Amino acid sequence: GAGVSQSPSNKVTEKGKDVELRCDPISGHTALYWYRQSLGQGLEFLIYFQGNSAPDKSGLPSDRFSAERTGGSVSTLTIQRTQQEDSAVYLCASSFGGGASSTDTQYFGPGTRLTVL
Amino acid sequence: AQSVTQLGSHVSVSEGALVLLRCNYSSSVPPYLFWYVQYPNQGLQLLLKYTSAATLVKGINGFEAEFKKSETSFHLTKPSAHMRDAAEYFCAVSEIGGGNKLTFGTGTQLKVEL
């Protein structure tokens, strides 16, 4: 079946603009994760959604970052008033389960490369 | 807070030689441990994971890793490197009972030479 897909694959924006990044998880996966991969910070957890539970937002770097997951499927990561330090590859992953003690394999999408000029 | 240290940001081996990529974790309670591989311009792919069952874990593509609690290590090995193994490798941990969110190491770029 289809894997995790992300769009756009590349996004160039100007400092101060808002951007939306989309993630389509694998069908039937209840958990969805966002990570960021940057030269300075490596791979960082941002946020994760598990079923109907409140999302774990503990990794979001500032209140300019938000995410939602509609209908338990597609997720959108929004960055408001982008800054140059937001430039990174944003990775989405999904897993079949994702509860407190889950170790279900996370399947990663190819990422969205964000460049803030 | 747990953390992961990968010694050696770049490792170079000859084709057919042993591959050893090092990973040490810092956690008061042994966490779940993972190795992921990232090929150029591709997403991350799980190689193997330790979830408190057998301490020697076998993964895909001939890789394996051994969990050693006394050394807080989870080193990745492969007996004989192949050119197609050239990629970046990430060690990661997740906290037991803390959800499935991963904390990654800084990665090791593996180069395989003829």
Side-chain angles (χ1 to χ4, degrees):
Chain A
V4 177
S5 62
Q6 294 185 245
S7 60
S9 55
N10 281 283
K11 176 72 176 178
V12 180
T13 191
E14 294 179 347
K15 177 181 173 181
K17 301 282 190 183
D18 297 352
V19 295
E20 287 188 349
L21 312 179
R22 177 186 168 107
C23 173
D24 283 88
I26 293 172
S27 178
H29 281 193
T30 63
L32 185 147
Y33 314 78
W34 284 98
Y35 295 87
R36 178 170 71 173
Q37 186 172 24
S38 60
L39 284 176
Q41 303 296 323
L43 263 162
E44 307 171 273
F45 163 78
L46 296 177
I47 184 171
Y48 98 93
F49 300 86
Q50 166 54 31
N52 296 321
S53 302
D56 180 341
K57 305 179 182 181
S58 60
L60 294 178
S62 78
D63 58 9
R64 296 186 295 104
F65 288 73
S66 63
E68 63 178 19
R69 188 178 185 193
T70 54
S73 181
V74 171
S75 177
T76 301
L77 177 69
T78 300
I79 309 174
Q80 295 178 309
R81 305 180 304 281
T82 52
Q83 303 294 312
Q84 288 182 333
E85 62 261 28
D86 299 334
S87 295
V89 176
Y90 289 82
L91 296 170
C92 177
S94 69
S95 66
F96 183 73
S101 298
S102 172
T103 59
D104 286 4
T105 298
Q106 293 183 33
Y107 295 86
F108 283 78
T112 293
R113 182 175 297 279
L114 175 66
T115 303
V116 182
L117 301 176
Chain B
Q2 53 193 350
S3 64
V4 180
T5 301
Q6 291 184 241
L7 282 177
S9 58
H10 291 80
V11 169
S12 183
V13 299
S14 299
E15 191 174 33
L18 171 72
V19 176
L20 171 61
L21 304 182
R22 299 178 186 275
C23 174
N24 289 84
Y25 67 89
S26 171
S27 175
S28 57
V29 175
Y32 299 130
L33 292 152
F34 308 79
W35 275 100
Y36 278 84
V37 61
Q38 187 175 34
Y39 298 102
N41 300 315
Q42 294 187 30
L44 292 156
Q45 180 182 9
L46 180 69
L47 278 176
L48 49 81
K49 61 183 177 182
Y50 166 76
T51 57
S52 68
T55 56
L56 181 63
V57 182
K58 293 187 184 297
I60 62 172
N61 302 338
F63 284 94
E64 63 182 39
E66 186 172 8
F67 170 71
K68 292 187 177 180
K69 182 178 177 181
S70 61
E71 299 177 8
T72 61
S73 69
F74 190 58
H75 301 331
L76 182 71
T77 60
K78 181 173 180 177
S80 177
H82 193 279
M83 297 295 289
R84 62 175 173 261
D85 296 325
E88 189 155 22
Y89 292 79
F90 293 92
C91 183
V93 301
S94 69
E95 181 182 348
I96 295 174
N100 205 10
K101 56 189 179 184
L102 298 172
T103 299
F104 286 91
T106 51
T108 297
Q109 186 72 45
L110 175 66
K111 183 177 180 181
V112 182
E113 300 176 315
L114 289 172

